[in-house]
Amino acid sequence: MTDPTLTDLLLTPILEADPAGPRVTYYDDATGERIELSALTLANWAAKTANFLRDELGVAPGDAVRVDLPAHWQTAAVLLGAWWAGAHTVVGAADGTATSVALVTAAGLDDADESEVAALSLDPFGRPLPDLPIGVTDYATAVRVHGDAFTPSGTGPSVGGRSAADVLEDARRRAAERSWDASSRVLSTAPWPDTESVVDGLVAVLAAGASLVQVANADPAALERRRTTEKVTHSFPT
């Protein structure tokens, strides 16, 4: 029997406690975009991503996958999918770790020299990226055909070379220091440029059983209104 992946450790308690409630709510104040995902929908997207990584890009437990994407609901699904597939994630620019798979935006294609590259448009309607270079996979097109259930076959170091259990323990400690718990609704404007920021701004929220309101291109006036309409209990950074 394999050890549970970080995604199993994060999502299983949430799915058991509240599968239908809002888990990740994403705003982009520059475009007016608002997307809300329940734990079940987030898990379905993560499963599709894990199946895509394993079946199309050949990711096996222990492989290193580079994720160079902004703080976005699709990024959360990509990270959870990579951890579910047993991958070790390198977040942001290449750090010297040997990676054969990368998931990037169009802006990151020039720096992606991995043998397998998937590009994300991050379009709210799932539109693909036009005119991709030969050999680059469009994530939006490819992921939707994959199943929304996933059975992991193994796990490797999840984040920063640490085991899933170590990352979970660290994330729970950070959440406790901020008084986050299952009743918390965390509004965050923090980016996710590296491993530490992902643990801070995503993993710690899920580890606490809390829900996340992630805002891009934040409008200060809109943030004040949103604290009321989204029933926010905590802000990050404070």
Side-chain angles (χ1 to χ4, degrees):
M1 186 173 181
T2 62
D3 291 333
T5 67
L6 181 57
T7 298
D8 288 316
L9 293 172
L10 292 172
L11 291 187
T12 298
I14 294 171
L15 289 168
E16 290 175 348
D18 183 15
R23 191 57 49 188
V24 174
T25 306
Y26 174 78
Y27 283 90
D28 186 334
D29 284 347
T31 64
E33 177 183 352
R34 181 186 186 276
I35 300 288
E36 186 166 274
L37 285 76
S38 67
L40 184 58
T41 302
L42 182 62
N44 288 347
W45 273 96
K48 285 179 177 293
T49 302
N51 283 312
F52 163 65
L53 291 172
R54 181 187 63 189
D55 298 342
E56 287 200 37
L57 301 190
V59 173
D63 287 353
V65 171
R66 189 166 67 88
V67 178
D68 189 6
L69 299 167
H72 192 278
W73 71 266
Q74 289 185 33
T75 306
V78 165
L79 289 164
L80 290 165
W83 297 328
W84 223 345
H88 160 56
T89 54
V90 175
V91 179
D95 66 357
T97 303
T99 53
S100 58
V101 174
L103 295 102
V104 300
T105 62
L109 286 173
D110 288 344
D111 297 322
D113 58 3
E114 286 83 355
S115 58
E116 296 284 356
V117 178
L120 282 77
S121 68
L122 303 179
D123 184 88
F125 300 105
R127 285 187 286 256
L129 280 166
D131 304 320
L132 285 175
I134 294 173
V136 175
T137 302
D138 182 75
Y139 171 86
T141 302
V143 77
R144 64 170 59 111
V145 303
H146 288 277
D148 55 10
F150 184 77
T151 301
S153 58
T155 187
S158 295
V159 181
R162 295 179 292 166
S163 70
D166 285 346
V167 174
L168 182 68
E169 181 180 5
D170 181 25
R172 284 176 171 167
R173 175 186 58 77
R174 299 185 196 203
E177 289 172 351
R178 300 166 191 152
S179 300
W180 296 351
D181 59 26
S183 67
S184 300
R185 184 91 161 132
V186 181
L187 187 150
S188 176
T189 57
W192 301 343
D194 51 36
T195 295
E196 285 302 301
S197 60
V198 164
V199 176
D200 257 344
L202 175 64
V203 180
V205 176
L206 297 179
S211 60
L212 175 65
V213 180
Q214 183 70 38
V215 182
N217 302 307
D219 174 356
L223 283 180
E224 287 306 313
R225 295 193 303 271
R226 203 164 289 133
R227 288 188 173 93
T228 300
T229 59
E230 293 291 348
K231 301 180 180 178
V232 168
T233 62
H234 298 78
S235 295
F236 180 75
T238 54

